[in-house]
Each structure stands twice: as C-alpha cells, then as structure tokens.
Amino acid sequence: MQNKHLIDIYTQGERIGFGLRLERTFALTAAHLLHRKFGPDVAKDLPPLHLQDGTEVSLVFCNTPSDLARLRIELNGTRDPLQNVGFSRVRKGEAWRATASPVPDKPLSGKVVEPNAEYYRDEHRHVKAMRLRCEGQIDDHAAYAGSPIEPEPQKSPPVVLGMLVESRGSHRLENNEAFAVSMAEMFRLLGSEKQPSANRSRAGYIHPQWTRPGPNRNPRKGN
C-alpha cells in the first residue's frame, strides 16, 4: 500500500528507523530509536537527519515517558497537499499490521489485546498505549519501531491506528507482545488543537494543527 504517512529516517545515508508523518512539515518517531543510536542527550548530540530523498529533518523534542519524538520536515519548495490522517476507534481483538516491513517476507501483524493499557505513570504524567499480540516469530520487534500500524485489512480511504513504540519490560518480547500509541493518545499528549471526538461512531478524518514552538527554542528532552 502506498502510504504517504510512513517515512524512512536516515542519517549519513544509513536508515535508522521509521516515522509517522502527520502534517507536511511534522512527523513522529519512537524516541528510543534516537536514544539507542545517539545516546541519552540527543538534543545536543543528534547528527543531521534526512528522509530518503535527502529532505532535511530536525528534532523538535524527545519525550521518554511516551516514547514519542517530534520531528520537523524542512520542505524544499514542494507544496503538494498531504492526505488528512484517518483514525479509527481501536477495539479489543482487532487485526492490525505494521505499515513498514524492514524484514523481507516477515510483515509484523497481530491482534489488539488491550486498547488502552497503562504504558507509563508518575505523579505528573499518565500515558496509555495499545497492547498488541504479534503473530508468527519476529526476531527483532525493535526493527519496526516508529512504524505506523493500520487495520488489517486496510480501509479505504486509508486509516492509521497508531505508531509502534518501545515495549515496557523485557518479558514482552518473549510473550510476542508489542505496544503502539494510538492516534487519539498522540493528539492528547502532544497538544493538537483538534482532537478526535470520542463520540464518533467508528472512523473519522482529521488534519491536526500542532502547537508549534517558537523559532528560537531549542529541542528539549522529556524526563
């Protein structure tokens, strides 16, 4: 499936992971991909990033509790519109698949075990994520981190359920489980001016308008 919301993130010609493009100039990826590759202080140590076609990408912020990193895509003059993001209410037992397939002939797919599992909580924050069961034997779930996930079979027009993030606890991989932050939770955590309504029956389409940081603010890392 051609998916304009899936991006491949590179540095110096090497692909380091995937991301979910939500606007023409903004995308998300899994924060732990950057931490694992470049160390804990990615705000200072991150080398230049780019898309496959060479388009430059910069880090806006990196938040550890939600495992979300927000990226700005530096446009090179193109003004092609990006299709609005489709979302749907995720249900227990729903079939899903990862949009990205880095391992040939081993697409990541499965069923939703728990749509709103507790992913992280402290006195300041509460993050929910979809707890997913993966079908088949996948050697490295981390290879798919940052990939959008979609319903299986895919809907028309295309729908994105969420984005794969880091598993919590080492036993998750043994149990063939994964986690994904849903579209609704992304909007809540990252402060979209427009959020999906809980009263929508099954599916809806939204063009999120993110609150943009000032041009002189430095990228920041969540605690």
Side-chain angles (χ1 to χ4, degrees), residues 66-204:
S66 64
D67 197 30
L68 296 179
R70 183 173 163 189
L71 305 172
R72 177 175 177 82
I73 300 172
E74 308 295 341
L75 296 179
N76 55 5
T78 179
R79 290 292 181 267
D80 292 338
L82 186 69
Q83 180 182 333
N84 287 355
V85 177
F87 65 89
S88 73
R89 182 177 299 168
V90 182
R91 301 179 186 277
K92 183 177 180 179
E94 184 168 5
W96 62 270
R97 69 178 179 187
T99 306
S101 184
V103 182
D105 302 321
K106 286 191 176 182
L108 191 64
S109 62
K111 298 289 183 65
V112 176
V113 176
E114 189 176 354
N116 291 295
E118 184 167 292
Y119 185 71
Y120 179 90
R121 179 187 288 273
D122 63 18
E123 60 181 326
H124 304 294
R125 280 171 281 245
H126 181 209
V127 181
K128 295 181 179 180
M130 293 177 275
R131 187 163 62 93
L132 309 172
R133 177 73 65 186
C134 303
E135 302 294 340
Q137 296 298 316
I138 304 297
D139 296 330
D140 182 13
H141 292 180
Y144 297 84
S147 170
I149 65 168
E150 57 193 51
E152 177 62 41
Q154 177 59 282
K155 302 178 184 301
S156 181
V159 166
V160 176
L161 298 178
M163 186 184 74
L164 290 169
V165 292
E166 185 175 30
S167 291
R168 296 295 194 193
S170 60
H171 69 284
R172 304 284 188 224
L173 297 182
E174 296 177 4
N175 291 336
N176 219 21
E177 291 185 346
F179 283 90
V181 177
S182 70
M183 296 292 292
E185 186 72 346
M186 289 181 202
F187 297 149
R188 183 185 74 83
L189 292 169
L190 301 180
S192 172
E193 296 172 5
K194 295 182 180 179
Q195 299 190 22
S197 169
N199 295 324
R200 293 179 188 259
S201 59
R202 177 58 184 168

